[in-house]
Amino acid sequence: MRDTTGGPLALTMGDPAGIGLDLSLTAWLGRRKRSTPPFLFIGDPAALAARADLLGHAVSIRETDCASAVSHFYDALPVLPVRCVAPVIAGEADSANAMVVTGAIDTAVRLVMTGEASAVVTNPIAKAVLYAAGFRFPGHTEYLADLAQKATGETLLPVMMLAGPKLRAVPVTIHIPLKDVPAQLTADLIYRTCTITATDLRTRFGIHKPKLAIAGLNPHAGEGGALGTEDDAIIRPVVERLRAEGINATGPLPADTMFHNRARATYDVAICMYHDQALIPAKALGFDDSVNVTLGLPFIRTSPDHGTAFSLAGKGIARDDSLFAALTLAAELSKNTAGVIV
């Protein structure tokens, strides 16, 4: 077991042509005013310096290692170099840099798995750009899980959570077509998603007895089978099993009445059956300050809840609220778990 409480957050650069560089710069520039948690930027220092010049930011950049990052953080932006192979132009993605993007993620995971960094915070990637270079994973979450599985030898189920000031929401199925959801929505998947969520809420978020509100799949949670059978046949038995095992779970609940103010006050997390059922309310209630958290991994990982926004890169108009929230939450979760990785 390794104590990582003193290590910096490992912040990956994401796609260098996107707004990840912009946001990393502004997050560091606000380090004193907003008490940004110390981070080590893992990416191309030349691309970062060029973006700072483009944005008109006076930033001191210092190439360093993980051990020295915290001591440098308040005087210079610490960077662990992972150098791009093609020129970086703001807003113009280049698949030639795809391996560099994934290399930064690899490095961040290695640092947190060895106890040198306290958590992984990832800037946005462009999946289409990575796919063009042969990337074979549906997204960031699945790639991180694969890296963790290779490091531990354990089979893991990564669970995606959108965490904002007003709502935590977890989709059971994620990046699949809506027509495929019923077939993928097994009792085992729902059960494992719920138990992983409950465990991480206890051990990382510090919620002693988390309350899970579990949405139905169909309108009105199936309305007794009149609008679909999955709610009673698949979801309800899982809820009963969870309750029998001591987990405070309710459902299946009609999704259209789960997200108003009074309803949200009754639970700690909404477990939703598909991507948009979770992300529409999460983004409506916290578009600028929600955080993507990956549960079920042997390390803490957070990310801004937005994409690369190539059209905003280098223009000085991208908001860093979500990245700042991701950094802040990663630091809080690290403290809650005493920074220990098994």
Side-chain angles (χ1 to χ4, degrees):
M1 305 176 78
R2 299 177 176 87
D3 188 347
T4 65
T5 50
L9 304 172
L11 175 63
T12 64
M13 70 176 175
D15 192 298
I19 59 172
L21 302 189
D22 308 48
L23 304 184
S24 301
L25 289 163
T26 56
W28 181 81
L29 287 167
R31 66 199 180 284
R32 298 185 189 278
K33 185 177 181 180
R34 296 196 296 177
S35 299
T36 305
F39 62 80
L40 173 65
F41 180 85
I42 303 172
D44 192 318
L48 191 63
R51 189 67 55 86
D53 289 343
L54 181 63
L55 294 169
H57 295 323
V59 176
S60 175
I61 294 172
R62 183 168 301 169
E63 296 186 23
T64 186
D65 58 13
C66 202
S68 302
V70 174
S71 63
H72 291 316
F73 185 75
Y74 293 99
D75 298 319
L77 199 166
V79 177
L80 183 64
V82 179
R83 304 185 193 279
C84 294
V85 297
V88 175
I89 301 173
E92 299 183 17
D94 191 335
S95 61
N97 286 322
M99 295 301 294
V100 182
V101 172
T102 57
I105 300 169
D106 297 348
T107 299
V109 170
R110 175 181 58 79
L111 290 173
V112 77
M113 291 298 293
T114 58
E116 297 169 75
S118 57
V120 174
V121 181
T122 57
N123 267 307
I125 59 174
K127 288 179 286 188
V129 176
L130 298 183
Y131 293 157
F135 188 71
R136 61 181 181 85
F137 298 89
H140 237 141
T141 300
E142 294 83 1
Y143 185 58
L144 288 162
D146 184 69
L147 293 175
Q149 287 174 185
K150 288 176 179 175
T152 63
E154 300 177 4
T155 300
L156 304 170
L157 175 66
V159 172
M160 174 182 174
M161 172 190 282
L162 270 292
K166 296 181 180 179
L167 175 68
R168 300 184 190 93
V170 170
V172 175
T173 61
I174 307 177
H175 297 123
I176 61 174
L178 188 59
K179 65 180 178 62
D180 295 338
V181 169
Q184 295 292 322
L185 203 60
T186 64
D188 181 64
L189 179 61
I190 299 169
Y191 174 77
R192 292 175 65 199
T193 299
C194 289
T195 55
I196 289 168
T197 300
T199 296
D200 276 24
L201 286 176
R202 286 195 303 269
T203 61
R204 291 182 172 169
F205 286 77
I207 301 173
H208 181 55
K209 293 183 178 180
K211 300 174 183 177
L212 280 61
I214 302 175
L217 171 66
N218 297 295
H220 302 174
E223 205 163 281
L227 299 177
T229 60
E230 294 89 354
D231 302 276
D232 287 334
I234 300 173
I235 302 172
R236 193 177 303 280
V238 173
V239 176
E240 293 171 355
R241 178 182 176 185
L242 293 168
R243 293 178 65 83
E245 294 178 2
I247 294 176
N248 189 338
T250 57
L253 303 171
D256 61 349
T257 57
M258 280 182 59
F259 301 107
H260 61 81
N261 291 343
R262 293 193 306 278
R264 296 199 313 276
T266 65
Y267 59 81
D268 297 302
V269 63
I271 306 294
C272 303
M273 295 301 111
Y274 55 92
H275 183 276
D276 283 10
Q277 191 181 60
L279 271 68
I280 287 174
K283 292 189 176 184
L285 292 165
F287 187 79
D288 292 317
D289 48 11
S290 288
V291 177
N292 186 337
V293 187
T294 306
L295 312 178
L297 298 179
F299 54 83
I300 294 161
R301 180 265 177 151
T302 66
S303 178
D305 179 29
H306 57 68
T308 51
F310 290 121
S311 63
L312 304 182
K315 296 181 179 178
I317 56 176
R319 297 182 56 160
D320 72 343
D321 306 63
S322 189
L323 176 60
F324 178 75
L327 291 164
T328 301
L329 181 59
E332 290 175 357
L333 297 181
S334 179
K335 290 177 182 178
N336 288 345
T337 54
V340 173
I341 295 176
V342 180

